[in-house]
Amino acid sequence: MARYLVVCITKRGNHYDPHERISHLGVSTSHGRDRYTQEQIIQWIETRQHSFYVQRGGSSSTVIVATRNGRKYLKTEADGSEPNNLLALPEC
């Protein structure tokens, strides 16, 4: 299983609205930066093909799949920092 650093996100609508869904994630790879849909990242995490993390302030948080109102979405494991580390990333 490869582990990748998420460096940016693209949200549907307003980037700073915490209720807008993430559509794509920018991931640092050995050959640069690639963008993947949230659905693709969810599938890779659930099938344990790849894992993803966010680096912020010298620490890292793993990206996990959560479900709300029957819809899957991505977030980071709780680490006590606000806002969510994934949502704090810049726009891709």
Side-chain angles (χ1 to χ4, degrees):
M1 174 190 324
R3 184 167 166 85
Y4 295 101
L5 173 64
V6 178
V7 294
C8 61
I9 61 171
T10 302
K11 292 178 77 175
R12 298 176 175 106
N14 181 352
H15 180 85
Y16 297 101
D17 183 346
H19 303 291
E20 291 290 338
R21 292 178 55 85
I22 294 171
S23 63
H24 293 79
L25 289 86
V27 176
S28 180
T29 65
S30 60
H31 58 273
R33 183 184 294 178
D34 291 325
R35 272 182 30 153
Y36 300 102
T37 65
Q38 175 175 247
E39 291 77 16
Q40 184 66 57
I41 301 283
I42 288 171
Q43 179 185 14
W44 284 333
I45 291 171
E46 289 184 332
T47 60
R48 298 177 190 247
Q49 188 173 355
H50 301 301
S51 66
F52 300 86
Y53 69 99
V54 173
Q55 188 114 29
R56 187 168 178 225
S59 63
S60 64
S61 298
T62 301
V63 176
I64 61 172
V65 178
T67 304
R68 183 178 205 160
N69 297 329
R71 295 188 72 178
K72 293 180 182 181
Y73 68 99
L74 298 171
K75 68 178 192 173
T76 54
E77 290 180 322
D79 66 357
S81 71
E82 288 294 330
N84 176 291
N85 291 321
L86 195 58
L87 298 178
L89 291 174
E91 187 78 14
C92 290

Coordinates of all heavy atoms in Angstrom, one line a residue:
M1 N 0.9 -1.2 0.0 CA 0.0 0.0 0.0 C 0.9 1.2 0.0 O 1.8 1.4 0.8 CB -0.9 0.0 1.2 CG -1.7 1.3 1.3 SD -2.6 1.6 2.9 CE -3.2 0.0 3.4
A2 N 0.7 2.1 -1.0 CA 1.4 3.4 -1.0 C 0.7 4.4 -0.2 O -0.5 4.4 0.0 CB 1.5 3.8 -2.4
R3 N 1.5 5.3 0.4 CA 0.9 6.4 1.3 C 1.3 7.7 0.6 O 2.5 8.0 0.3 CB 1.6 6.3 2.6 CG 1.0 7.3 3.6 CD 1.5 6.9 5.0 NE 1.3 8.0 6.0 CZ 0.2 8.2 6.7 NH1 -0.9 7.5 6.4 NH2 0.1 9.2 7.6
Y4 N 0.3 8.6 0.3 CA 0.4 9.8 -0.4 C 0.0 11.1 0.4 O -0.9 11.0 1.2 CB -0.4 9.8 -1.7 CG 0.0 8.8 -2.6 CD1 -0.6 7.6 -2.8 CD2 1.2 9.0 -3.4 CE1 -0.2 6.6 -3.7 CE2 1.6 8.0 -4.4 CZ 0.9 6.8 -4.5 OH 1.3 5.8 -5.3
L5 N 0.8 12.1 0.2 CA 0.5 13.4 0.8 C -0.5 14.2 0.0 O -0.3 14.5 -1.2 CB 1.8 14.2 1.0 CG 1.7 15.7 1.5 CD1 1.2 15.7 2.9 CD2 3.0 16.4 1.3
V6 N -1.6 14.6 0.7 CA -2.6 15.5 0.0 C -2.2 16.9 0.2 O -1.9 17.4 1.4 CB -4.0 15.3 0.6 CG1 -5.0 16.2 0.0 CG2 -4.4 13.8 0.5
V7 N -2.0 17.7 -0.9 CA -1.5 19.1 -0.8 C -2.5 20.2 -1.1 O -2.2 21.3 -0.8 CB -0.2 19.2 -1.7 CG1 0.9 18.3 -1.2 CG2 -0.6 18.9 -3.1
C8 N -3.6 19.8 -1.7 CA -4.7 20.8 -2.0 C -6.0 20.1 -2.2 O -6.0 18.9 -2.4 CB -4.3 21.7 -3.2 SG -4.1 20.7 -4.7
I9 N -7.1 20.9 -2.2 CA -8.4 20.4 -2.5 C -9.1 21.3 -3.5 O -8.8 22.5 -3.6 CB -9.2 20.2 -1.2 CG1 -9.4 21.5 -0.5 CG2 -8.6 19.2 -0.3 CD1 -10.4 21.5 0.7
T10 N -10.1 20.7 -4.1 CA -11.1 21.5 -4.9 C -12.5 21.2 -4.4 O -12.8 20.0 -4.2 CB -11.0 21.1 -6.4 OG1 -9.7 21.3 -6.9 CG2 -12.0 22.0 -7.2
K11 N -13.2 22.2 -4.1 CA -14.6 22.1 -3.5 C -15.6 22.5 -4.5 O -15.3 23.4 -5.3 CB -14.7 22.8 -2.2 CG -13.9 22.3 -1.1 CD -14.0 23.1 0.2 CE -15.3 22.8 0.9 NZ -15.4 23.5 2.1
R12 N -16.7 21.9 -4.4 CA -17.9 22.4 -5.2 C -18.4 23.7 -4.6 O -18.6 23.7 -3.4 CB -19.0 21.3 -5.2 CG -18.5 20.0 -5.9 CD -19.6 19.0 -5.8 NE -19.2 17.8 -6.5 CZ -18.8 16.7 -5.9 NH1 -18.8 16.6 -4.6 NH2 -18.5 15.6 -6.7
G13 N -18.5 24.8 -5.3 CA -19.0 26.0 -4.7 C -17.9 26.7 -4.0 O -16.7 26.7 -4.4
N14 N -18.2 27.4 -2.9 CA -17.3 28.2 -2.1 C -16.3 27.4 -1.3 O -16.6 26.6 -0.5 CB -18.1 29.1 -1.2 CG -17.2 30.0 -0.3 OD1 -16.0 30.0 -0.3 ND2 -17.9 30.9 0.4
H15 N -15.0 27.6 -1.6 CA -13.9 26.8 -0.9 C -14.0 26.9 0.6 O -13.7 26.0 1.3 CB -12.6 27.3 -1.4 CG -11.4 26.6 -0.8 ND1 -11.0 25.4 -1.3 CD2 -10.7 26.9 0.3 CE1 -10.0 25.0 -0.5 NE2 -9.8 25.8 0.5
Y16 N -14.4 28.1 1.1 CA -14.4 28.3 2.6 C -15.7 27.9 3.3 O -15.8 28.0 4.5 CB -14.0 29.8 2.8 CG -12.6 30.1 2.3 CD1 -12.4 30.7 1.1 CD2 -11.5 29.6 3.0 CE1 -11.2 31.0 0.7 CE2 -10.2 29.9 2.6 CZ -10.1 30.6 1.4 OH -8.8 30.8 0.9
D17 N -16.6 27.4 2.5 CA -17.9 27.0 3.1 C -17.7 25.5 3.6 O -17.5 24.6 2.8 CB -19.0 27.0 2.1 CG -20.4 26.6 2.7 OD1 -20.4 26.0 3.8 OD2 -21.4 26.9 2.1
P18 N -17.7 25.3 4.9 CA -17.5 23.9 5.4 C -18.5 22.9 5.0 O -18.3 21.7 5.2 CB -17.4 24.1 6.9 CG -18.2 25.3 7.2 CD -18.0 26.2 6.0
H19 N -19.7 23.4 4.5 CA -20.7 22.4 4.1 C -20.7 22.0 2.7 O -21.4 21.2 2.2 CB -22.1 23.0 4.5 CG -22.2 23.4 5.9 ND1 -22.3 22.4 6.9 CD2 -22.2 24.6 6.5 CE1 -22.4 23.0 8.1 NE2 -22.3 24.3 7.9
E20 N -19.8 22.7 1.9 CA -19.6 22.3 0.5 C -18.7 21.0 0.4 O -17.8 20.9 1.2 CB -18.9 23.4 -0.3 CG -19.8 24.6 -0.5 CD -21.0 24.4 -1.4 OE1 -20.9 23.4 -2.3 OE2 -21.9 25.1 -1.3
R21 N -19.0 20.2 -0.5 CA -18.3 18.9 -0.6 C -17.0 19.1 -1.4 O -17.0 19.9 -2.3 CB -19.2 17.8 -1.3 CG -20.4 17.4 -0.4 CD -21.2 16.4 -1.1 NE -20.6 15.2 -1.6 CZ -20.3 14.2 -0.9 NH1 -20.7 14.1 0.4 NH2 -19.7 13.1 -1.4
I22 N -16.0 18.3 -1.0 CA -14.8 18.3 -1.8 C -15.0 17.4 -3.1 O -15.6 16.4 -3.0 CB -13.7 17.6 -1.0 CG1 -13.3 18.5 0.2 CG2 -12.4 17.3 -1.8 CD1 -12.4 17.8 1.2
S23 N -14.6 18.0 -4.2 CA -14.7 17.2 -5.5 C -13.4 16.5 -5.8 O -13.5 15.4 -6.3 CB -15.2 18.1 -6.6 OG -14.2 19.1 -6.9
H24 N -12.3 17.2 -5.6 CA -11.0 16.6 -6.0 C -9.9 16.9 -4.9 O -10.0 17.8 -4.2 CB -10.5 17.2 -7.3 CG -11.3 16.8 -8.5 ND1 -12.5 17.5 -8.8 CD2 -11.1 15.9 -9.5 CE1 -13.0 16.9 -9.9 NE2 -12.2 16.0 -10.3
L25 N -8.9 16.0 -4.9 CA -7.8 16.2 -4.0 C -6.5 16.2 -4.9 O -6.4 15.4 -5.8 CB -7.7 15.1 -3.0 CG -8.8 15.1 -1.9 CD1 -10.0 14.4 -2.3 CD2 -8.2 14.6 -0.6
G26 N -5.6 17.1 -4.6 CA -4.3 17.2 -5.2 C -3.3 16.4 -4.3 O -3.2 16.6 -3.1
V27 N -2.6 15.4 -5.0 CA -1.8 14.5 -4.3 C -0.4 14.6 -4.8 O -0.1 14.6 -6.0 CB -2.3 13.1 -4.4 CG1 -1.4 12.1 -3.8 CG2 -3.7 13.0 -3.9
S28 N 0.6 14.7 -3.9 CA 2.0 14.7 -4.3 C 2.5 13.3 -4.6 O 2.3 12.4 -3.7 CB 2.8 15.3 -3.1 OG 4.2 15.4 -3.5
T29 N 3.0 13.1 -5.8 CA 3.5 11.8 -6.2 C 5.0 11.9 -6.6 O 5.5 13.0 -6.6 CB 2.7 11.3 -7.4 OG1 2.9 12.1 -8.5 CG2 1.2 11.2 -7.1
S30 N 5.6 10.8 -6.9 CA 7.0 10.8 -7.2 C 7.3 11.6 -8.5 O 8.4 12.0 -8.8 CB 7.5 9.4 -7.4 OG 6.8 8.7 -8.4
H31 N 6.3 11.8 -9.4 CA 6.4 12.5 -10.6 C 5.7 13.8 -10.6 O 5.5 14.4 -11.7 CB 6.0 11.6 -11.8 CG 4.6 11.2 -11.7 ND1 4.2 10.0 -11.1 CD2 3.4 11.7 -12.2 CE1 2.9 9.9 -11.2 NE2 2.4 10.9 -11.9
G32 N 5.4 14.4 -9.5 CA 4.8 15.7 -9.4 C 3.5 15.7 -8.6 O 3.5 15.1 -7.5
R33 N 2.5 16.4 -9.1 CA 1.2 16.5 -8.4 C 0.1 16.0 -9.4 O 0.1 16.4 -10.5 CB 1.0 17.9 -8.0 CG -0.3 18.1 -7.3 CD -0.6 19.6 -7.0 NE 0.4 20.1 -6.1 CZ 0.4 21.4 -5.7 NH1 -0.6 22.2 -6.1 NH2 1.3 21.8 -4.8
D34 N -0.7 15.1 -8.8 CA -1.9 14.6 -9.6 C -3.1 15.0 -8.8 O -3.1 15.1 -7.6 CB -1.8 13.1 -9.8 CG -0.7 12.7 -10.7 OD1 -0.4 13.4 -11.7 OD2 -0.1 11.6 -10.5
R35 N -4.3 15.1 -9.6 CA -5.6 15.4 -9.0 C -6.5 14.1 -9.2 O -6.5 13.6 -10.3 CB -6.2 16.6 -9.6 CG -5.9 17.9 -9.0 CD -6.6 19.0 -9.6 NE -7.9 18.7 -10.2 CZ -8.9 19.5 -10.3 NH1 -8.7 20.8 -9.9 NH2 -10.0 19.2 -10.8
Y36 N -7.2 13.8 -8.1 CA -8.1 12.6 -8.2 C -9.4 13.0 -7.6 O -9.5 13.9 -6.7 CB -7.5 11.5 -7.4 CG -6.2 11.0 -7.9 CD1 -5.0 11.3 -7.3 CD2 -6.1 10.2 -9.1 CE1 -3.8 10.9 -7.7 CE2 -4.9 9.8 -9.6 CZ -3.7 10.2 -8.9 OH -2.5 9.7 -9.4
T37 N -10.5 12.4 -8.1 CA -11.8 12.7 -7.5 C -11.9 12.1 -6.1 O -11.2 11.2 -5.7 CB -12.9 12.1 -8.4 OG1 -12.8 10.6 -8.3 CG2 -12.9 12.5 -9.8
Q38 N -12.8 12.7 -5.3 CA -13.0 12.2 -4.0 C -13.5 10.8 -4.0 O -13.1 10.0 -3.2 CB -14.1 13.1 -3.3 CG -14.5 12.6 -1.9 CD -15.4 13.4 -1.2 OE1 -15.1 14.0 -0.2 NE2 -16.7 13.6 -1.6
E39 N -14.3 10.4 -5.0 CA -14.8 9.1 -5.1 C -13.7 8.1 -5.4 O -13.7 7.0 -4.8 CB -15.9 9.0 -6.3 CG -17.2 9.7 -6.0 CD -17.1 11.2 -6.1 OE1 -16.1 11.8 -6.7 OE2 -18.0 11.9 -5.6
Q40 N -12.7 8.5 -6.2 CA -11.5 7.6 -6.4 C -10.7 7.4 -5.2 O -10.3 6.3 -4.8 CB -10.7 8.1 -7.6 CG -9.5 7.2 -7.9 CD -9.9 5.9 -8.5 OE1 -10.6 5.9 -9.5 NE2 -9.6 4.8 -7.9
I41 N -10.5 8.5 -4.4 CA -9.7 8.4 -3.2 C -10.5 7.5 -2.2 O -9.8 6.7 -1.5 CB -9.5 9.8 -2.6 CG1 -8.7 10.7 -3.6 CG2 -8.8 9.7 -1.2 CD1 -7.2 10.4 -3.7
I42 N -11.8 7.7 -2.1 CA -12.6 6.9 -1.2 C -12.4 5.4 -1.5 O -12.2 4.5 -0.6 CB -14.1 7.3 -1.2 CG1 -14.2 8.6 -0.5 CG2 -15.0 6.2 -0.6 CD1 -15.6 9.3 -0.6
Q43 N -12.5 5.1 -2.8 CA -12.4 3.7 -3.2 C -11.0 3.1 -2.9 O -10.9 2.0 -2.4 CB -12.6 3.6 -4.8 CG -12.4 2.1 -5.3 CD -12.6 2.0 -6.8 OE1 -12.5 3.0 -7.5 NE2 -12.7 0.8 -7.3
W44 N -9.9 3.9 -3.1 CA -8.6 3.4 -2.8 C -8.4 3.2 -1.3 O -7.8 2.2 -0.9 CB -7.6 4.4 -3.3 CG -7.3 4.3 -4.8 CD1 -7.5 3.3 -5.6 CD2 -6.9 5.4 -5.6 NE1 -7.2 3.6 -6.9 CE2 -6.8 4.9 -6.9 CE3 -6.5 6.7 -5.4 CZ2 -6.4 5.7 -8.0 CZ3 -6.1 7.5 -6.4 CH2 -6.0 7.0 -7.7
I45 N -9.0 4.1 -0.5 CA -8.9 3.9 1.0 C -9.6 2.7 1.4 O -9.1 1.9 2.2 CB -9.4 5.2 1.7 CG1 -8.4 6.3 1.5 CG2 -9.5 4.9 3.2 CD1 -8.9 7.7 2.0
E46 N -10.9 2.5 0.9 CA -11.7 1.4 1.4 C -11.2 0.1 0.9 O -11.3 -0.9 1.6 CB -13.1 1.6 0.9 CG -13.9 2.7 1.6 CD -15.3 2.9 1.1 OE1 -15.7 2.5 0.0 OE2 -16.1 3.3 2.0
T47 N -10.5 0.0 -0.2 CA -9.9 -1.2 -0.7 C -8.5 -1.4 -0.2 O -7.8 -2.4 -0.6 CB -10.0 -1.3 -2.2 OG1 -9.2 -0.2 -2.8 CG2 -11.4 -1.3 -2.8
R48 N -8.0 -0.5 0.6 CA -6.7 -0.5 1.1 C -5.6 -0.6 0.1 O -4.5 -1.1 0.3 CB -6.5 -1.6 2.1 CG -7.5 -1.5 3.3 CD -7.4 -2.7 4.3 NE -8.4 -2.6 5.2 CZ -8.2 -2.4 6.5 NH1 -7.0 -2.2 7.0 NH2 -9.2 -2.3 7.3
Q49 N -5.9 0.0 -1.1 CA -4.9 0.1 -2.2 C -3.9 1.2 -1.9 O -2.7 1.0 -2.2 CB -5.6 0.3 -3.5 CG -4.7 0.2 -4.7 CD -5.5 0.3 -6.0 OE1 -6.7 0.4 -6.0 NE2 -4.8 0.4 -7.1
H50 N -4.4 2.3 -1.4 CA -3.5 3.4 -1.0 C -4.0 4.1 0.3 O -5.2 3.9 0.6 CB -3.5 4.5 -2.1 CG -3.1 4.1 -3.5 ND1 -1.8 3.5 -3.7 CD2 -3.7 4.1 -4.6 CE1 -1.7 3.2 -5.0 NE2 -2.9 3.5 -5.6
S51 N -3.2 4.8 0.9 CA -3.6 5.7 2.1 C -3.1 7.1 1.8 O -2.2 7.3 1.0 CB -3.1 5.1 3.4 OG -1.7 5.2 3.4
F52 N -3.7 8.0 2.5 CA -3.4 9.4 2.3 C -3.3 10.2 3.6 O -4.0 9.8 4.6 CB -4.6 10.1 1.4 CG -4.7 9.4 0.1 CD1 -5.5 8.2 -0.1 CD2 -4.1 9.9 -1.0 CE1 -5.6 7.6 -1.3 CE2 -4.2 9.2 -2.3 CZ -5.0 8.1 -2.4
Y53 N -2.6 11.2 3.6 CA -2.4 12.0 4.8 C -2.2 13.5 4.5 O -1.9 13.9 3.4 CB -1.2 11.5 5.7 CG 0.1 11.7 5.0 CD1 0.9 12.8 5.5 CD2 0.6 10.9 4.0 CE1 2.2 13.1 4.9 CE2 1.9 11.1 3.5 CZ 2.7 12.2 3.9 OH 3.9 12.4 3.4
V54 N -2.4 14.3 5.5 CA -2.2 15.8 5.4 C -1.1 16.1 6.4 O -1.1 15.7 7.5 CB -3.5 16.5 5.7 CG1 -3.3 18.0 5.8 CG2 -4.6 16.2 4.7
Q55 N -0.2 17.0 6.0 CA 0.8 17.5 6.9 C 0.5 18.9 7.2 O 0.3 19.8 6.3 CB 2.2 17.4 6.1 CG 3.3 17.7 7.0 CD 4.2 16.5 7.2 OE1 4.3 15.6 6.3 NE2 4.8 16.4 8.3
R56 N 0.5 19.2 8.5 CA 0.2 20.6 8.9 C 0.9 20.9 10.3 O 0.8 20.1 11.2 CB -1.3 20.8 9.1 CG -1.7 22.2 9.4 CD -3.2 22.3 9.2 NE -3.6 23.7 9.5 CZ -4.6 24.0 10.3 NH1 -5.4 23.1 10.7 NH2 -4.9 25.2 10.5
G57 N 1.7 21.9 10.3 CA 2.3 22.3 11.6 C 3.3 21.3 12.1 O 3.4 21.1 13.3
G58 N 4.0 20.5 11.3 CA 4.9 19.5 11.7 C 4.3 18.2 12.1 O 5.1 17.3 12.5
S59 N 3.0 18.1 12.1 CA 2.4 16.8 12.3 C 1.6 16.3 11.2 O 1.2 17.1 10.3 CB 1.6 16.8 13.6 OG 0.5 17.7 13.4
S60 N 1.3 15.0 11.1 CA 0.5 14.5 10.0 C -0.8 13.9 10.5 O -0.8 13.4 11.7 CB 1.3 13.5 9.2 OG 1.6 12.4 9.9
S61 N -1.8 13.9 9.7 CA -3.1 13.3 10.0 C -3.6 12.5 8.9 O -3.5 12.9 7.7 CB -4.2 14.4 10.3 OG -3.9 15.2 11.4
T62 N -4.0 11.3 9.2 CA -4.5 10.3 8.1 C -5.8 10.8 7.6 O -6.7 11.1 8.4 CB -4.5 8.9 8.7 OG1 -3.2 8.6 9.1 CG2 -5.0 7.9 7.7
V63 N -6.0 10.7 6.3 CA -7.3 10.9 5.7 C -8.1 9.6 5.8 O -7.7 8.5 5.5 CB -7.2 11.3 4.2 CG1 -8.5 11.5 3.5 CG2 -6.3 12.6 4.1
I64 N -9.4 9.8 6.3 CA -10.3 8.6 6.4 C -11.6 8.9 5.7 O -11.9 10.0 5.4 CB -10.5 8.3 7.9 CG1 -11.2 9.5 8.6 CG2 -9.2 7.9 8.6 CD1 -11.6 9.3 10.1
V65 N -12.4 7.8 5.6 CA -13.7 7.9 5.0 C -14.7 7.9 6.1 O -14.6 7.1 7.0 CB -14.0 6.6 4.1 CG1 -15.4 6.7 3.5 CG2 -12.9 6.6 3.0
A66 N -15.6 8.9 6.0 CA -16.7 9.0 7.0 C -18.0 9.0 6.2 O -18.1 9.2 5.0 CB -16.6 10.3 7.8
T67 N -19.1 8.8 6.9 CA -20.5 8.8 6.3 C -21.4 9.7 7.0 O -21.4 9.7 8.3 CB -21.1 7.4 6.2 OG1 -20.2 6.5 5.6 CG2 -22.4 7.4 5.5
R68 N -22.1 10.6 6.3 CA -23.1 11.5 6.9 C -24.3 11.5 6.0 O -24.2 11.7 4.8 CB -22.5 12.9 7.0 CG -23.4 13.8 7.7 CD -22.8 15.1 7.9 NE -23.4 15.8 9.0 CZ -22.9 16.8 9.7 NH1 -21.8 17.2 9.4 NH2 -23.6 17.3 10.7
N69 N -25.5 11.3 6.6 CA -26.7 11.2 5.8 C -26.6 10.3 4.7 O -27.1 10.6 3.6 CB -27.1 12.6 5.4 CG -27.4 13.6 6.5 OD1 -27.8 13.2 7.6 ND2 -27.1 14.8 6.3
G70 N -26.0 9.2 4.8 CA -25.9 8.1 3.8 C -24.8 8.4 2.7 O -24.7 7.6 1.8
R71 N -24.1 9.5 2.8 CA -23.1 9.9 1.8 C -21.7 9.8 2.4 O -21.4 10.3 3.5 CB -23.3 11.3 1.3 CG -24.7 11.4 0.5 CD -24.8 12.7 -0.1 NE -23.9 12.8 -1.3 CZ -23.9 13.8 -2.1 NH1 -24.6 14.9 -1.9 NH2 -23.0 13.8 -3.1
K72 N -20.8 9.2 1.6 CA -19.4 9.0 2.0 C -18.7 10.3 1.7 O -18.9 11.0 0.7 CB -18.8 7.9 1.4 CG -19.3 6.5 1.8 CD -18.6 5.4 1.1 CE -19.3 4.1 1.5 NZ -18.6 2.9 0.9
Y73 N -17.7 10.7 2.6 CA -16.9 11.8 2.3 C -15.6 11.6 3.0 O -15.4 10.7 3.8 CB -17.6 13.1 2.8 CG -17.7 13.2 4.3 CD1 -16.8 14.0 5.1 CD2 -18.8 12.6 5.0 CE1 -17.0 14.1 6.4 CE2 -18.9 12.7 6.3 CZ -18.0 13.4 7.1 OH -18.2 13.5 8.4
L74 N -14.6 12.5 2.8 CA -13.3 12.4 3.3 C -13.1 13.4 4.4 O -13.6 14.6 4.3 CB -12.2 12.6 2.2 CG -12.2 11.6 1.1 CD1 -11.3 12.0 0.0 CD2 -11.9 10.2 1.7
K75 N -12.3 13.0 5.4 CA -11.9 14.0 6.5 C -10.6 13.4 7.1 O -10.2 12.3 6.7 CB -13.0 14.1 7.6 CG -13.2 12.9 8.4 CD -14.3 13.1 9.4 CE -14.4 12.0 10.5 NZ -15.2 12.3 11.6
T76 N -10.0 14.2 8.0 CA -8.8 13.6 8.7 C -9.2 13.1 10.0 O -10.2 13.5 10.6 CB -7.7 14.7 8.8 OG1 -8.3 15.8 9.5 CG2 -7.2 15.1 7.5
E77 N -8.4 12.2 10.5 CA -8.6 11.7 11.9 C -8.6 12.8 12.8 O -7.8 13.8 12.6 CB -7.5 10.7 12.3 CG -7.6 9.4 11.5 CD -6.5 8.4 11.9 OE1 -5.4 8.9 12.2 OE2 -6.8 7.2 12.0
A78 N -9.4 12.8 13.9 CA -9.4 13.8 14.9 C -8.1 14.0 15.5 O -7.5 13.1 16.0 CB -10.5 13.5 15.9
D79 N -7.6 15.3 15.5 CA -6.3 15.6 16.2 C -6.4 16.8 17.1 O -5.5 17.3 17.6 CB -5.2 15.7 15.2 CG -5.4 17.0 14.3 OD1 -6.4 17.7 14.4 OD2 -4.5 17.3 13.5
G80 N -7.7 17.3 17.2 CA -7.9 18.4 18.1 C -7.7 19.8 17.5 O -8.0 20.8 18.1
S81 N -7.3 19.8 16.2 CA -7.1 21.1 15.6 C -8.3 21.5 14.7 O -8.9 20.6 14.2 CB -5.8 21.1 14.7 OG -6.0 20.4 13.6
E82 N -8.6 22.7 14.7 CA -9.7 23.3 13.9 C -9.1 24.4 13.0 O -8.3 25.1 13.4 CB -10.8 23.9 14.8 CG -11.6 22.8 15.5 CD -12.4 22.0 14.6 OE1 -12.8 22.4 13.6 OE2 -12.6 20.8 15.0
P83 N -9.6 24.5 11.8 CA -10.5 23.6 11.1 C -9.9 22.3 10.8 O -8.7 22.1 10.9 CB -10.9 24.4 9.8 CG -9.7 25.2 9.5 CD -9.1 25.5 10.8
N84 N -10.8 21.4 10.3 CA -10.3 20.1 9.8 C -9.1 20.3 8.9 O -9.1 21.1 8.0 CB -11.5 19.4 9.1 CG -11.1 18.1 8.5 OD1 -10.3 18.0 7.6 ND2 -11.6 17.0 9.0
N85 N -8.0 19.5 9.1 CA -6.8 19.7 8.4 C -7.0 19.6 6.9 O -6.3 20.3 6.1 CB -5.8 18.6 8.8 CG -5.3 18.9 10.2 OD1 -5.1 20.0 10.6 ND2 -5.1 17.8 10.9
L86 N -7.9 18.7 6.4 CA -8.2 18.6 5.0 C -8.8 19.9 4.4 O -8.4 20.4 3.4 CB -9.1 17.4 4.7 CG -9.2 16.8 3.3 CD1 -7.8 16.4 2.8 CD2 -10.1 15.7 3.3
L87 N -9.8 20.4 5.1 CA -10.5 21.6 4.7 C -9.6 22.9 4.8 O -9.9 23.9 4.1 CB -11.8 21.8 5.5 CG -12.8 20.7 5.4 CD1 -14.0 21.0 6.3 CD2 -13.2 20.6 3.9
A88 N -8.5 22.8 5.5 CA -7.6 23.9 5.7 C -6.6 24.0 4.5 O -5.9 25.0 4.4 CB -6.9 23.9 7.0
L89 N -6.6 23.0 3.7 CA -5.6 23.0 2.5 C -6.0 24.1 1.5 O -7.2 24.4 1.4 CB -5.6 21.7 1.9 CG -4.9 20.5 2.7 CD1 -5.1 19.2 2.0 CD2 -3.5 20.8 3.0
P90 N -5.1 24.6 0.7 CA -5.4 25.5 -0.3 C -6.2 24.9 -1.5 O -6.2 23.7 -1.6 CB -4.0 26.0 -0.8 CG -3.1 24.9 -0.5 CD -3.6 24.3 0.8
E91 N -6.7 25.8 -2.3 CA -7.4 25.4 -3.5 C -6.4 24.8 -4.5 O -5.3 25.4 -4.7 CB -8.2 26.5 -4.1 CG -9.1 26.2 -5.2 CD -10.4 25.6 -4.9 OE1 -10.8 25.6 -3.7 OE2 -11.0 25.0 -5.8
C92 N -6.8 23.8 -5.2 CA -5.9 23.2 -6.3 C -5.9 24.1 -7.5 O -6.9 24.7 -7.8 CB -6.3 21.8 -6.7 SG -6.0 20.6 -5.4

